[in-house]
Amino acid sequence: MDASDQEELGVDADQPLAPHNGVINKLLNVGQEDNMHGQMEEFLGPQAEYNEEEEERKYYRRKRLCVIKNVLAASVGAMIVYSVYMGLLQMQLILHYDMTYREVKYSNLGLEDIDRKMLMGINVTPIIGLLYTPVLIRFLGTKWMMFLASGIYALFVSTNYWERYYTLVPSAVAIGVAIVPLWASLGNYITRMAQQYYEYVHYKEDHVQEQKKLPKGACHKYIIVFQSVFHIIFHLSFVFAEFPMCFVLNGYLHKSEHILLNVHSCGANISGVIPGFNTTVLTNLPRSMLLIQVESVLMGFAFLFLVLCGPAYRPTEEIDLRSIGWGNIFQLPFKHLRDYRLRLLCPFFIYSGFEMLFAITGFSLSYGVCVLGLDKLWLLIVVYGLSCSVFSSLSLCLLRLPRWVCLVGGAAVHGVLLVVLLAFSPPPKNLEYLGPLLVISVLWGLGTALNKTGVSTLIGMLYAEEKERLDFVYTIYHWWQAIAIFIVYLWSNLPMRAKLSILLATLVLACYCYWLMERRLAMKLPFRLPRIPRPRHKVMQPSQEKGGQDAEVQGVDSPKARRRGAEGHRNRREDAQMKEGVKEEREGG
């Protein structure tokens, strides 16, 4: 047995001893860790295929495409909102004007009186827009202010499903409240997109990386291009707004001989809008509800485009804009009127509101409808809208020419047309004047395009480096336009020659003030800009937190606190002794 045991031991001794399981696992873990460490170094280390500069360039190219998408989305969204609003308002006013429609459908409702109060709400309410517009834009942000204002326009569309005094008039007042904030936020947004595009093109510049103020004139060319694109798209709203008139209402209108039966003069010889215009213009009632449903769907598409818009400011910039104090935000629009550049541009702001509203209500009705008939109204407005859209591209000439070319060119065209209209009194019901009236529409659209794009571009160029002031200056611009709209609403019963004279006088004053502004800037006279307070962030510093904790500890260890603690301890001990005495008395009893 011993020999056999020894032989077995000998065999075991010759074979190598197997390591324990723990040793094997440690060896495997060490190998895996080395392998993982090598893979991590390979993944995190510099790769031959990765080009950091190329990736950065691709990133900022995507950012630039996003900016272009934002400009197109904002332009198309605003165009759809206004085409739906103007088309529906025009259809509503024509239907409510017809006596047969009022008596058959809403005999006891008084639609004519409701229309007057609606127009009053739309035209009068914006005059207080300067009081609340900057506060709303700073509180909601530029993008969401556009979205909210568009929602108010959608509310106006929805009220047409149930035409009552308590639905139509409040929605019209709400539109009047939203007009100035919508346009101020749109102007601010387009200019901010131009500034962002410059930053994404010149992302390697030190002032861009450090988020400092842009150099003077650096982003002017982007402002010119973006404002031109916006107005090219937006002015198409006049074209699409006439689709309900062209494809729906025209089939239900009486002939021009019936509508213009009692009209004896047109143009410069009349007072009011169209004296003697027949109160029955419809042969039978149209299917207006189907049209309202189509307009509601289009308004939904407008919301879709506005949702696609990106933010105008970085989140930290939005916080800084709000953090200067709501009282300061309320006061700053008034303080910006100290700047002589804005003061001298105010006559142009007013004329900008005059001329567009005159083209839609004055010229198209007192000249166009009075001479050609109501069935040709859509043609005049479509030609005017197409002219505005096409000629808005002429503002791109500012890339090579001085900035005064647009404004002076538009003023020259309108000045000649106003003189012609003062002497132009065509007879009613005469289609021979269709050609001359269309030519005047085209030329007036040319002047409007140069005026609108010129003013918006000029404001953006003057304040291109002051991104924290853009909402204030665009608010002032569109507030003065709202004042002009209110004045046009008041003068509706004046003689036509008086209206044209006011327009011509305002245009001459605007040109003189603009020349004076450019002269002062050429002489390098300093302009006065109000100081914008620094943002006030309510953030507690670590030293303040530590100081507060030390104060609490010192308060606890203070003599008064110790005295209160000793008195409380003494009172508790006396209460306990009294309870024990009462208990012993009960047990003894």
Side-chain angles (χ1 to χ4, degrees):
M1 290 293 294
D2 295 338
S4 61
D5 292 338
Q6 288 178 1
E7 289 176 0
E8 291 177 2
L9 290 173
V11 172
D12 293 337
D14 293 337
Q15 294 179 353
L17 294 175
H20 295 290
N21 290 333
V23 177
I24 294 174
N25 292 334
K26 288 180 180 179
L27 293 173
L28 290 174
N29 289 336
V30 170
Q32 290 177 356
E33 288 178 359
D34 292 340
N35 190 20
M36 289 176 61
H37 185 68
Q39 290 178 356
M40 289 291 291
E41 286 185 349
E42 183 180 357
F43 179 75
L44 296 176
Q47 299 181 10
E49 298 178 358
Y50 179 77
N51 189 338
E52 183 177 357
E53 186 175 350
E54 180 67 19
E55 293 297 324
E56 188 179 35
R57 190 181 63 82
K58 290 180 180 179
Y59 170 78
Y60 282 102
R61 184 178 63 186
R62 289 194 297 269
K63 285 289 188 179
R64 293 194 294 272
L65 291 176
C66 285
V67 169
I68 296 173
K69 180 262 297 180
N70 293 339
V71 173
L72 295 177
S75 305
V76 174
M79 183 267 293
I80 295 176
V81 167
Y82 255 76
S83 62
V84 171
Y85 161 66
M86 291 190 295
L88 197 58
L89 182 63
Q90 182 189 44
M91 181 197 73
Q92 188 183 80
L93 293 176
I94 292 175
L95 292 179
H96 294 178
Y97 177 81
D98 185 76
M99 185 181 295
T100 306
Y101 182 88
R102 294 199 304 267
E103 290 180 354
V104 171
K105 199 167 184 180
Y106 302 104
S107 58
N108 59 348
L109 192 58
L111 287 177
E112 192 173 6
D113 181 60
I114 290 176
D115 287 345
R116 283 196 295 267
K117 292 182 178 177
M118 279 177 53
L119 291 176
M120 183 183 298
I122 294 173
N123 295 305
V124 176
T125 313
I127 64 176
I128 61 171
L130 192 64
L131 301 178
Y132 57 83
T133 297
V135 176
L136 282 179
I137 293 177
R138 292 288 173 105
F139 180 73
L140 296 172
T142 305
K143 171 189 173 179
W144 294 112
M145 185 66 251
M146 297 190 313
F147 194 82
L148 175 64
S150 303
I152 293 176
Y153 281 83
L155 174 67
F156 174 77
V157 174
S158 64
T159 55
N160 284 269
Y161 287 102
W162 186 251
E163 294 180 316
R164 294 293 185 272
Y165 181 89
Y166 54 83
T167 58
L168 294 176
V169 176
S171 64
V173 173
I175 282 184
V177 171
I179 285 176
V180 177
L182 173 63
W183 280 102
S185 56
L186 278 171
N188 183 15
Y189 190 82
I190 298 300
T191 307
R192 276 295 299 146
M193 290 300 105
Q195 293 173 342
Q196 285 188 7
Y197 196 87
Y198 169 82
E199 293 173 357
Y200 295 147
V201 170
H202 302 275
Y203 59 90
K204 293 183 179 180
E205 301 289 339
D206 292 338
H207 62 272
V208 174
Q209 293 180 355
E210 297 172 6
Q211 296 185 12
K212 293 182 178 179
K213 185 180 292 188
L214 300 181
K216 188 172 181 59
C219 59
H220 284 184
K221 61 180 180 180
Y222 304 115
I223 293 174
I224 293 169
V225 173
F226 286 3
Q227 289 288 351
S228 178
V229 169
F230 171 77
H231 285 91
I232 288 172
I233 296 175
F234 173 77
H235 282 138
L236 292 175
S237 60
F238 294 106
V239 178
F240 294 112
E242 294 305 312
F243 280 11
M245 182 75 182
C246 178
F247 297 112
V248 179
L249 281 183
N250 265 6
Y252 298 91
L253 294 177
H254 278 292
K255 292 184 178 180
S256 299
E257 289 77 10
H258 170 79
I259 297 175
L260 302 175
L261 180 64
N262 298 319
V263 177
H264 302 295
S265 60
C266 297
N269 292 332
I270 66 174
S271 296
V273 183
I274 307 177
F277 199 72
N278 205 326
T279 55
T280 56
V281 296
L282 298 175
T283 56
N284 53 349
L285 301 184
R287 297 178 59 189
S288 57
M289 190 56 65
L290 176 62
L291 179 61
I292 295 172
Q293 292 171 354
V294 173
E295 302 279 24
S296 302
V297 174
L298 291 176
M299 189 63 78
F301 280 105
F303 279 106
L304 177 62
F305 278 102
L306 291 175
V307 167
L308 294 176
C309 296
Y313 295 90
R314 301 182 184 92
T316 53
E317 291 175 337
E318 293 274 6
I319 295 171
D320 289 344
L321 292 176
R322 297 189 190 102
S323 300
I324 65 174
W326 297 111
N328 293 320
I329 294 173
F330 176 79
Q331 296 173 16
L332 280 169
F334 301 96
K335 292 181 178 179
H336 274 81
L337 288 173
R338 301 171 184 170
D339 186 355
Y340 70 77
R341 298 176 297 175
L342 276 181
R343 286 203 311 272
L344 293 175
L345 283 175
C346 284
F348 246 121
F349 299 162
I350 296 173
Y351 178 76
S352 180
F354 279 168
E355 59 91 7
M356 179 170 279
L357 211 58
F358 174 78
I360 298 172
T361 60
F363 171 75
S364 61
L365 296 179
S366 299
Y367 286 87
V369 173
C370 186
V371 176
L372 306 174
L374 190 59
D375 56 336
K376 294 294 188 295
L377 174 62
W378 70 272
L379 181 60
L380 292 171
I381 302 295
V382 165
V383 169
Y384 171 73
L386 286 175
S387 174
C388 290
S389 177
V390 171
F391 290 123
S392 293
S393 60
L394 291 179
S395 64
L396 294 174
C397 69
L398 297 182
L399 294 171
R400 293 289 181 268
L401 299 177
R403 64 188 178 195
W404 54 265
V405 170
C406 265
L407 287 178
V408 174
V413 172
H414 277 179
V416 173
L417 289 177
L418 287 172
V419 173
V420 170
L421 291 176
L422 279 169
F424 187 49
S425 299
K429 295 171 288 188
N430 195 335
L431 291 177
E432 294 179 0
Y433 288 90
L434 177 61
L437 289 174
L438 290 179
V439 171
I440 293 175
S441 291
V442 171
L443 294 177
W444 197 275
L446 168 62
T448 298
L450 294 176
N451 179 282
K452 290 291 185 184
T453 53
V455 172
S456 298
T457 303
L458 178 62
I459 294 175
M461 293 168 70
L462 291 177
Y463 295 90
E465 297 80 32
E466 306 281 348
K467 60 183 177 182
E468 68 276 4
R469 303 180 189 272
L470 289 176
D471 50 350
F472 299 128
V473 295
Y474 278 106
T475 297
I476 293 170
Y477 167 36
H478 293 291
W479 178 71
W480 279 110
Q481 276 194 328
I483 297 294
I485 292 171
F486 174 63
I487 295 173
V488 172
Y489 169 74
L490 292 179
W491 78 17
S492 57
N493 293 322
L494 286 178
M496 178 54 68
R497 283 195 172 91
K499 300 176 186 177
L500 294 171
S501 301
I502 293 173
L503 274 170
L504 190 58
T506 308
L507 180 60
V508 172
L509 177 63
C511 291
Y512 171 73
C513 291
Y514 177 65
W515 171 80
L516 196 59
M517 186 205 77
E518 291 287 2
R519 184 169 177 270
R520 289 186 181 182
L521 289 177
M523 295 171 62
K524 297 184 179 179
L525 291 179
F527 44 83
R528 186 178 178 185
L529 285 176
R531 187 183 66 85
I532 295 182
R534 289 186 177 182
R536 296 175 293 186
H537 301 296
K538 296 181 179 179
V539 179
M540 185 173 289
Q541 301 296 331
S543 59
Q544 296 177 353
E545 295 179 359
K546 185 177 179 181
Q549 293 174 358
D550 293 342
E552 287 184 15
V553 173
Q554 290 175 4
V556 171
D557 294 338
S558 62
K560 186 181 291 186
R562 287 197 298 269
R563 197 179 306 119
R564 285 198 303 266
E567 289 175 357
H569 179 67
R570 190 184 309 115
N571 292 334
R572 287 194 298 270
R573 186 174 59 189
E574 291 175 356
D575 291 341
Q577 290 175 356
M578 289 176 62
K579 288 179 182 179
E580 288 179 0
V582 171
K583 185 176 180 181
E584 288 176 358
E585 288 177 1
R586 288 177 179 176
E587 289 176 355

mmCIF file of all heavy atoms in Angstrom, residues 165-199:
data_model
loop_
_atom_site.group_PDB
_atom_site.id
_atom_site.type_symbol
_atom_site.label_atom_id
_atom_site.label_comp_id
_atom_site.label_asym_id
_atom_site.label_seq_id
_atom_site.Cartn_x
_atom_site.Cartn_y
_atom_site.Cartn_z
ATOM 1 N N TYR A 165 -73.330 89.787 -31.053
ATOM 2 C CA TYR A 165 -72.629 90.967 -30.555
ATOM 3 C C TYR A 165 -71.538 90.581 -29.569
ATOM 4 O O TYR A 165 -70.422 91.105 -29.608
ATOM 5 C CB TYR A 165 -73.639 91.906 -29.895
ATOM 6 C CG TYR A 165 -73.033 93.186 -29.364
ATOM 7 C CD1 TYR A 165 -72.931 94.316 -30.178
ATOM 8 C CD2 TYR A 165 -72.551 93.277 -28.064
ATOM 9 C CE1 TYR A 165 -72.374 95.490 -29.713
ATOM 10 C CE2 TYR A 165 -71.995 94.441 -27.582
ATOM 11 C CZ TYR A 165 -71.907 95.542 -28.408
ATOM 12 O OH TYR A 165 -71.346 96.695 -27.935
ATOM 13 N N TYR A 166 -71.850 89.644 -28.673
ATOM 14 C CA TYR A 166 -70.908 89.262 -27.615
ATOM 15 C C TYR A 166 -69.809 88.329 -28.095
ATOM 16 O O TYR A 166 -68.941 87.938 -27.306
ATOM 17 C CB TYR A 166 -71.657 88.625 -26.438
ATOM 18 C CG TYR A 166 -72.542 87.455 -26.804
ATOM 19 C CD1 TYR A 166 -72.026 86.168 -26.939
ATOM 20 C CD2 TYR A 166 -73.908 87.632 -27.012
ATOM 21 C CE1 TYR A 166 -72.829 85.105 -27.277
ATOM 22 C CE2 TYR A 166 -74.725 86.573 -27.336
ATOM 23 C CZ TYR A 166 -74.192 85.308 -27.474
ATOM 24 O OH TYR A 166 -74.984 84.254 -27.810
ATOM 25 N N THR A 167 -69.826 87.944 -29.377
ATOM 26 C CA THR A 167 -68.706 87.169 -29.933
ATOM 27 C C THR A 167 -67.860 88.010 -30.895
ATOM 28 O O THR A 167 -66.631 87.996 -30.829
ATOM 29 C CB THR A 167 -69.219 85.922 -30.668
ATOM 30 O OG1 THR A 167 -70.117 86.319 -31.716
ATOM 31 C CG2 THR A 167 -69.947 84.998 -29.705
ATOM 32 N N LEU A 168 -68.521 88.772 -31.777
ATOM 33 C CA LEU A 168 -67.786 89.503 -32.808
ATOM 34 C C LEU A 168 -67.055 90.720 -32.257
ATOM 35 O O LEU A 168 -65.889 90.951 -32.561
ATOM 36 C CB LEU A 168 -68.746 89.938 -33.920
ATOM 37 C CG LEU A 168 -69.381 88.808 -34.744
ATOM 38 C CD1 LEU A 168 -70.373 89.379 -35.739
ATOM 39 C CD2 LEU A 168 -68.328 88.001 -35.467
ATOM 40 N N VAL A 169 -67.738 91.521 -31.428
ATOM 41 C CA VAL A 169 -67.122 92.759 -30.952
ATOM 42 C C VAL A 169 -65.938 92.484 -30.011
ATOM 43 O O VAL A 169 -64.866 93.078 -30.184
ATOM 44 C CB VAL A 169 -68.187 93.666 -30.295
ATOM 45 C CG1 VAL A 169 -67.533 94.911 -29.698
ATOM 46 C CG2 VAL A 169 -69.241 94.068 -31.322
ATOM 47 N N PRO A 170 -66.065 91.596 -28.998
ATOM 48 C CA PRO A 170 -64.874 91.321 -28.164
ATOM 49 C C PRO A 170 -63.698 90.757 -28.945
ATOM 50 O O PRO A 170 -62.532 91.090 -28.658
ATOM 51 C CB PRO A 170 -65.387 90.316 -27.128
ATOM 52 C CG PRO A 170 -66.847 90.557 -27.048
ATOM 53 C CD PRO A 170 -67.252 90.939 -28.442
ATOM 54 N N SER A 171 -63.963 89.910 -29.945
ATOM 55 C CA SER A 171 -62.843 89.369 -30.735
ATOM 56 C C SER A 171 -62.190 90.467 -31.572
ATOM 57 O O SER A 171 -60.964 90.462 -31.764
ATOM 58 C CB SER A 171 -63.337 88.243 -31.639
ATOM 59 O OG SER A 171 -64.257 88.729 -32.599
ATOM 60 N N ALA A 172 -62.985 91.442 -32.057
ATOM 61 C CA ALA A 172 -62.399 92.559 -32.797
ATOM 62 C C ALA A 172 -61.543 93.437 -31.887
ATOM 63 O O ALA A 172 -60.467 93.902 -32.281
ATOM 64 C CB ALA A 172 -63.509 93.387 -33.442
ATOM 65 N N VAL A 173 -61.999 93.669 -30.662
ATOM 66 C CA VAL A 173 -61.197 94.433 -29.696
ATOM 67 C C VAL A 173 -59.900 93.689 -29.376
ATOM 68 O O VAL A 173 -58.825 94.301 -29.267
ATOM 69 C CB VAL A 173 -62.015 94.691 -28.414
ATOM 70 C CG1 VAL A 173 -61.141 95.327 -27.335
ATOM 71 C CG2 VAL A 173 -63.205 95.589 -28.717
ATOM 72 N N ALA A 174 -59.990 92.359 -29.249
ATOM 73 C CA ALA A 174 -58.779 91.563 -28.981
ATOM 74 C C ALA A 174 -57.787 91.672 -30.135
ATOM 75 O O ALA A 174 -56.567 91.737 -29.914
ATOM 76 C CB ALA A 174 -59.159 90.104 -28.741
ATOM 77 N N ILE A 175 -58.281 91.715 -31.375
ATOM 78 C CA ILE A 175 -57.384 91.894 -32.524
ATOM 79 C C ILE A 175 -56.706 93.257 -32.457
ATOM 80 O O ILE A 175 -55.508 93.397 -32.737
ATOM 81 C CB ILE A 175 -58.161 91.723 -33.834
ATOM 82 C CG1 ILE A 175 -58.374 90.238 -34.109
ATOM 83 C CG2 ILE A 175 -57.432 92.364 -35.007
ATOM 84 C CD1 ILE A 175 -59.052 89.934 -35.408
ATOM 85 N N GLY A 176 -57.472 94.287 -32.075
ATOM 86 C CA GLY A 176 -56.863 95.602 -31.918
ATOM 87 C C GLY A 176 -55.767 95.609 -30.873
ATOM 88 O O GLY A 176 -54.736 96.278 -31.035
ATOM 89 N N VAL A 177 -55.958 94.837 -29.805
ATOM 90 C CA VAL A 177 -54.922 94.730 -28.769
ATOM 91 C C VAL A 177 -53.690 94.012 -29.296
ATOM 92 O O VAL A 177 -52.554 94.335 -28.926
ATOM 93 C CB VAL A 177 -55.494 94.004 -27.527
ATOM 94 C CG1 VAL A 177 -54.400 93.686 -26.518
ATOM 95 C CG2 VAL A 177 -56.581 94.849 -26.870
ATOM 96 N N ALA A 178 -53.880 93.040 -30.196
ATOM 97 C CA ALA A 178 -52.772 92.188 -30.651
ATOM 98 C C ALA A 178 -52.008 92.735 -31.839
ATOM 99 O O ALA A 178 -50.944 92.206 -32.174
ATOM 100 C CB ALA A 178 -53.299 90.792 -31.000
ATOM 101 N N ILE A 179 -52.516 93.784 -32.508
ATOM 102 C CA ILE A 179 -51.881 94.244 -33.756
ATOM 103 C C ILE A 179 -50.458 94.732 -33.505
ATOM 104 O O ILE A 179 -49.494 94.295 -34.160
ATOM 105 C CB ILE A 179 -52.737 95.352 -34.399
ATOM 106 C CG1 ILE A 179 -53.974 94.750 -35.051
ATOM 107 C CG2 ILE A 179 -51.931 96.102 -35.460
ATOM 108 C CD1 ILE A 179 -54.928 95.778 -35.627
ATOM 109 N N VAL A 180 -50.288 95.657 -32.555
ATOM 110 C CA VAL A 180 -48.952 96.216 -32.316
ATOM 111 C C VAL A 180 -47.977 95.152 -31.788
ATOM 112 O O VAL A 180 -46.840 95.063 -32.279
ATOM 113 C CB VAL A 180 -49.043 97.428 -31.365
ATOM 114 C CG1 VAL A 180 -47.646 97.975 -31.063
ATOM 115 C CG2 VAL A 180 -49.892 98.524 -31.987
ATOM 116 N N PRO A 181 -48.356 94.309 -30.796
ATOM 117 C CA PRO A 181 -47.409 93.262 -30.366
ATOM 118 C C PRO A 181 -47.018 92.293 -31.464
ATOM 119 O O PRO A 181 -45.852 91.879 -31.543
ATOM 120 C CB PRO A 181 -48.170 92.544 -29.235
ATOM 121 C CG PRO A 181 -49.127 93.551 -28.719
ATOM 122 C CD PRO A 181 -49.528 94.367 -29.912
ATOM 123 N N LEU A 182 -47.975 91.932 -32.329
ATOM 124 C CA LEU A 182 -47.642 90.994 -33.407
ATOM 125 C C LEU A 182 -46.605 91.581 -34.344
ATOM 126 O O LEU A 182 -45.585 90.944 -34.658
ATOM 127 C CB LEU A 182 -48.913 90.627 -34.182
ATOM 128 C CG LEU A 182 -48.686 89.774 -35.442
ATOM 129 C CD1 LEU A 182 -48.098 88.419 -35.093
ATOM 130 C CD2 LEU A 182 -49.974 89.610 -36.238
ATOM 131 N N TRP A 183 -46.813 92.825 -34.780
ATOM 132 C CA TRP A 183 -45.897 93.405 -35.759
ATOM 133 C C TRP A 183 -44.564 93.791 -35.130
ATOM 134 O O TRP A 183 -43.513 93.688 -35.773
ATOM 135 C CB TRP A 183 -46.555 94.599 -36.429
ATOM 136 C CG TRP A 183 -47.488 94.148 -37.495
ATOM 137 C CD1 TRP A 183 -48.844 94.069 -37.430
ATOM 138 C CD2 TRP A 183 -47.125 93.641 -38.776
ATOM 139 N NE1 TRP A 183 -49.346 93.555 -38.592
ATOM 140 C CE2 TRP A 183 -48.307 93.293 -39.446
ATOM 141 C CE3 TRP A 183 -45.916 93.460 -39.428
ATOM 142 C CZ2 TRP A 183 -48.314 92.768 -40.731
ATOM 143 C CZ3 TRP A 183 -45.911 92.937 -40.709
ATOM 144 C CH2 TRP A 183 -47.098 92.598 -41.347
ATOM 145 N N ALA A 184 -44.589 94.220 -33.874
ATOM 146 C CA ALA A 184 -43.317 94.527 -33.206
ATOM 147 C C ALA A 184 -42.487 93.263 -33.029
ATOM 148 O O ALA A 184 -41.267 93.273 -33.238
ATOM 149 C CB ALA A 184 -43.592 95.186 -31.854
ATOM 150 N N SER A 185 -43.126 92.159 -32.659
ATOM 151 C CA SER A 185 -42.381 90.902 -32.484
ATOM 152 C C SER A 185 -41.899 90.359 -33.827
ATOM 153 O O SER A 185 -40.803 89.787 -33.912
ATOM 154 C CB SER A 185 -43.254 89.868 -31.765
ATOM 155 O OG SER A 185 -44.471 89.661 -32.447
ATOM 156 N N LEU A 186 -42.685 90.545 -34.901
ATOM 157 C CA LEU A 186 -42.228 90.091 -36.222
ATOM 158 C C LEU A 186 -41.002 90.876 -36.686
ATOM 159 O O LEU A 186 -40.019 90.289 -37.168
ATOM 160 C CB LEU A 186 -43.354 90.245 -37.242
ATOM 161 C CG LEU A 186 -44.406 89.135 -37.290
ATOM 162 C CD1 LEU A 186 -45.563 89.540 -38.189
ATOM 163 C CD2 LEU A 186 -43.799 87.830 -37.772
ATOM 164 N N GLY A 187 -41.038 92.204 -36.558
ATOM 165 C CA GLY A 187 -39.876 93.003 -36.947
ATOM 166 C C GLY A 187 -38.649 92.673 -36.123
ATOM 167 O O GLY A 187 -37.527 92.559 -36.654
ATOM 168 N N ASN A 188 -38.859 92.505 -34.821
ATOM 169 C CA ASN A 188 -37.755 92.125 -33.929
ATOM 170 C C ASN A 188 -37.191 90.764 -34.323
ATOM 171 O O ASN A 188 -35.973 90.558 -34.359
ATOM 172 C CB ASN A 188 -38.271 92.116 -32.491
ATOM 173 C CG ASN A 188 -37.190 91.802 -31.484
ATOM 174 O OD1 ASN A 188 -36.008 91.858 -31.783
ATOM 175 N ND2 ASN A 188 -37.594 91.449 -30.282
ATOM 176 N N TYR A 189 -38.092 89.815 -34.632
ATOM 177 C CA TYR A 189 -37.663 88.445 -34.940
ATOM 178 C C TYR A 189 -36.826 88.396 -36.209
ATOM 179 O O TYR A 189 -35.769 87.736 -36.241
ATOM 180 C CB TYR A 189 -38.897 87.555 -35.081
ATOM 181 C CG TYR A 189 -38.586 86.084 -35.152
ATOM 182 C CD1 TYR A 189 -38.353 85.348 -34.006
ATOM 183 C CD2 TYR A 189 -38.520 85.427 -36.377
ATOM 184 C CE1 TYR A 189 -38.068 83.993 -34.067
ATOM 185 C CE2 TYR A 189 -38.241 84.085 -36.453
ATOM 186 C CZ TYR A 189 -38.013 83.373 -35.292
ATOM 187 O OH TYR A 189 -37.717 82.040 -35.363
ATOM 188 N N ILE A 190 -37.266 89.066 -37.262
ATOM 189 C CA ILE A 190 -36.523 89.025 -38.523
ATOM 190 C C ILE A 190 -35.139 89.655 -38.352
ATOM 191 O O ILE A 190 -34.125 89.138 -38.855
ATOM 192 C CB ILE A 190 -37.321 89.737 -39.624
ATOM 193 C CG1 ILE A 190 -38.670 89.033 -39.862
ATOM 194 C CG2 ILE A 190 -36.526 89.759 -40.920
ATOM 195 C CD1 ILE A 190 -38.556 87.591 -40.283
ATOM 196 N N THR A 191 -35.063 90.761 -37.626
ATOM 197 C CA THR A 191 -33.756 91.402 -37.409
ATOM 198 C C THR A 191 -32.853 90.536 -36.554
ATOM 199 O O THR A 191 -31.644 90.443 -36.796
ATOM 200 C CB THR A 191 -33.956 92.777 -36.754
ATOM 201 O OG1 THR A 191 -34.894 93.532 -37.531
ATOM 202 C CG2 THR A 191 -32.650 93.537 -36.684
ATOM 203 N N ARG A 192 -33.417 89.874 -35.548
ATOM 204 C CA ARG A 192 -32.608 88.975 -34.716
ATOM 205 C C ARG A 192 -32.079 87.794 -35.521
ATOM 206 O O ARG A 192 -30.959 87.327 -35.300
ATOM 207 C CB ARG A 192 -33.443 88.459 -33.541
ATOM 208 C CG ARG A 192 -33.481 89.381 -32.353
ATOM 209 C CD ARG A 192 -32.108 89.539 -31.727
ATOM 210 N NE ARG A 192 -31.593 88.267 -31.240
ATOM 211 C CZ ARG A 192 -30.322 87.927 -31.253
ATOM 212 N NH1 ARG A 192 -29.421 88.738 -31.775
ATOM 213 N NH2 ARG A 192 -29.922 86.762 -30.761
ATOM 214 N N MET A 193 -32.875 87.297 -36.468
ATOM 215 C CA MET A 193 -32.395 86.204 -37.304
ATOM 216 C C MET A 193 -31.205 86.651 -38.150
ATOM 217 O O MET A 193 -30.256 85.883 -38.375
ATOM 218 C CB MET A 193 -33.529 85.694 -38.215
ATOM 219 C CG MET A 193 -34.624 84.947 -37.488
ATOM 220 S SD MET A 193 -34.042 83.478 -36.606
ATOM 221 C CE MET A 193 -34.075 84.043 -34.914
ATOM 222 N N ALA A 194 -31.232 87.897 -38.614
ATOM 223 C CA ALA A 194 -30.088 88.414 -39.371
ATOM 224 C C ALA A 194 -28.846 88.482 -38.487
ATOM 225 O O ALA A 194 -27.733 88.136 -38.923
ATOM 226 C CB ALA A 194 -30.425 89.790 -39.934
ATOM 227 N N GLN A 195 -29.011 88.912 -37.234
ATOM 228 C CA GLN A 195 -27.871 88.959 -36.318
ATOM 229 C C GLN A 195 -27.341 87.562 -36.026
ATOM 230 O O GLN A 195 -26.132 87.330 -35.987
ATOM 231 C CB GLN A 195 -28.288 89.654 -35.023
ATOM 232 C CG GLN A 195 -28.599 91.129 -35.191
ATOM 233 C CD GLN A 195 -29.177 91.736 -33.932
ATOM 234 O OE1 GLN A 195 -29.660 91.032 -33.042
ATOM 235 N NE2 GLN A 195 -29.150 93.058 -33.840
ATOM 236 N N GLN A 196 -28.255 86.609 -35.817
ATOM 237 C CA GLN A 196 -27.811 85.229 -35.568
ATOM 238 C C GLN A 196 -27.091 84.649 -36.783
ATOM 239 O O GLN A 196 -26.099 83.926 -36.626
ATOM 240 C CB GLN A 196 -29.011 84.358 -35.198
ATOM 241 C CG GLN A 196 -29.540 84.583 -33.796
ATOM 242 C CD GLN A 196 -30.590 83.561 -33.420
ATOM 243 O OE1 GLN A 196 -30.843 82.605 -34.160
ATOM 244 N NE2 GLN A 196 -31.214 83.755 -32.279
ATOM 245 N N TYR A 197 -27.583 84.950 -37.968
ATOM 246 C CA TYR A 197 -26.922 84.423 -39.174
ATOM 247 C C TYR A 197 -25.502 84.959 -39.272
ATOM 248 O O TYR A 197 -24.571 84.211 -39.636
ATOM 249 C CB TYR A 197 -27.728 84.812 -40.412
ATOM 250 C CG TYR A 197 -27.369 84.012 -41.633
ATOM 251 C CD1 TYR A 197 -27.981 82.794 -41.899
ATOM 252 C CD2 TYR A 197 -26.405 84.466 -42.544
ATOM 253 C CE1 TYR A 197 -27.645 82.049 -43.021
ATOM 254 C CE2 TYR A 197 -26.063 83.738 -43.664
ATOM 255 C CZ TYR A 197 -26.684 82.527 -43.892
ATOM 256 O OH TYR A 197 -26.346 81.788 -44.993
ATOM 257 N N TYR A 198 -25.322 86.228 -38.954
ATOM 258 C CA TYR A 198 -23.962 86.783 -38.948
ATOM 259 C C TYR A 198 -23.078 86.042 -37.940
ATOM 260 O O TYR A 198 -21.912 85.718 -38.232
ATOM 261 C CB TYR A 198 -24.013 88.273 -38.618
ATOM 262 C CG TYR A 198 -22.648 88.864 -38.334
ATOM 263 C CD1 TYR A 198 -21.806 89.253 -39.365
ATOM 264 C CD2 TYR A 198 -22.180 88.991 -37.014
ATOM 265 C CE1 TYR A 198 -20.545 89.770 -39.112
ATOM 266 C CE2 TYR A 198 -20.923 89.507 -36.751
ATOM 267 C CZ TYR A 198 -20.114 89.892 -37.795
ATOM 268 O OH TYR A 198 -18.868 90.382 -37.534
ATOM 269 N N GLU A 199 -23.623 85.775 -36.758
ATOM 270 C CA GLU A 199 -22.828 85.082 -35.737
ATOM 271 C C GLU A 199 -22.451 83.674 -36.172
ATOM 272 O O GLU A 199 -21.349 83.196 -35.886
ATOM 273 C CB GLU A 199 -23.618 85.029 -34.425
ATOM 274 C CG GLU A 199 -23.819 86.397 -33.775
ATOM 275 C CD GLU A 199 -24.742 86.334 -32.584
ATOM 276 O OE1 GLU A 199 -25.275 85.228 -32.306
ATOM 277 O OE2 GLU A 199 -24.955 87.373 -31.945
#
